Amino acid sequence: MLAVGATVAALSLTACGGGGTSGGSADTKFVQGKGGVDTVAKENRKDAPQLSGKTLEGKPLDVADYKGKIVVLNVWGSWCAPCRAEASNLAKVAKDTKAKGVQFVGINTRDSNRAPALRFEKEYGIDYPSLYDPIGKLMLRFPKGSLNPQAIPSTIVLDREGRIAARALTPLSEERLRTMVTPLIAEK
C-alpha cells in the first residue's frame, strides 16, 4: 500500500516540466529568481531530508556523507527530453567544480529498469553517482513549502552544511547552473 501511495504521489509531480511554483506559503523565506531559479538566504536555509539508497550500479550512497561539500542534486529520467538537453551541461560543471568542493549526485526516477539510465549516463558523460529511485520516494522526502523537486528535471543545491540553498524546476544551461553553484563556493 505504501508503494502504491508513493507511486501515486510521484506521478503527481510534473513529468518533464518546464518550471513551476514552490507551493509554499508567504513565509517560506525563499526568493524566486529569474529563469526559474529560487534561492534561500543563508540564515533561512532548512536541512535537506535524508537521501540514501543504492546507486544505478547497486552501490550504497548516502548524501549526508558529502557534508562539508556543496551538493548538486539533479532529479532526472532517461526518458525525459529536457533531462537529455541539460545532461552535458551538468557533466561539464560537475567536472569543472569538483576541485572546488562541489559534489554532484543524480536522482534517477521513473526508470523501471536500470539499463536505460546507465546508457543515458554513458552517452552524456555523467561520471557522478545517481541514486536509483524508480517510484520517486526520495523526492517525497522533501518537506512541503521547502525548495522541493516538483518537476523532472529539478536541480537542488545544498550548502556545505547540508541545507537547501537553491532550486531550479527547469532544464539548466551551463551558465544558469554555474550561477546556482558559484555563490555557494564563495561562502565560508
Side-chain angles (χ1 to χ4, degrees), residues 141-156:
R141 292 184 181 171
F142 286 83
K144 185 176 180 181
S146 71
L147 290 182
N148 55 345
Q150 297 178 5
I152 300 168
S154 287
T155 302
I156 296 172

Side-chain angles (χ1 to χ4, degrees), residues 68-70 91-104 160 178 181 185 188:
K69 293 185 177 197
I70 296 158
K92 180 167 182 15
V93 176
K95 287 176 185 158
D96 291 350
T97 59
K98 188 171 188 170
K100 296 175 182 175
V102 180
Q103 174 64 51
F104 278 60
R160 288 183 177 90
R178 288 182 190 281
V181 174
I185 292 171
K188 297 296 173 196

Side-chain angles (χ1 to χ4, degrees), residues 65-78:
D65 291 343
Y66 296 122
K67 198 166 187 178
K69 293 185 177 197
I70 296 158
V71 177
V72 178
L73 301 167
N74 178 255
V75 181
W76 64 279
S78 67

Side-chain angles (χ1 to χ4, degrees), residues 2 18 34 61 74 83 101 104 110 114 123 128 132 136 143 166:
L2 182 60
K34 294 180 179 165
L61 184 135
N74 178 255
C83 300
F104 278 60
R110 298 196 205 157
R114 295 174 194 247
E123 180 178 345
Y128 51 83
Y132 182 54

Side-chain angles (χ1 to χ4, degrees), residues 10 43 46 70 97 118 131 141 157:
E43 64 275 7
K46 306 269 188 248
I70 296 158
T97 59
L118 289 166
L131 288 163
R141 292 184 181 171
V157 184

Side-chain angles (χ1 to χ4, degrees), residues 49-55 59-66 73 105-107 130-133 137-139 141-142:
Q50 194 271 334
L51 300 167
S52 63
K54 299 279 184 182
T55 65
K59 297 177 183 171
L61 184 135
D62 188 341
V63 172
D65 291 343
Y66 296 122
L73 301 167
V105 176
I107 300 176
S130 284
L131 288 163
Y132 182 54
D133 186 29
K137 66 181 182 177
L138 293 176
M139 293 186 300
R141 292 184 181 171
F142 286 83

Side-chain angles (χ1 to χ4, degrees), residues 28-49:
T28 57
K29 296 189 171 58
F30 54 82
V31 177
Q32 185 155 17
K34 294 180 179 165
V37 175
D38 301 317
T39 60
V40 182
K42 191 173 184 175
E43 64 275 7
N44 295 322
R45 295 177 188 158
K46 306 269 188 248
D47 289 336

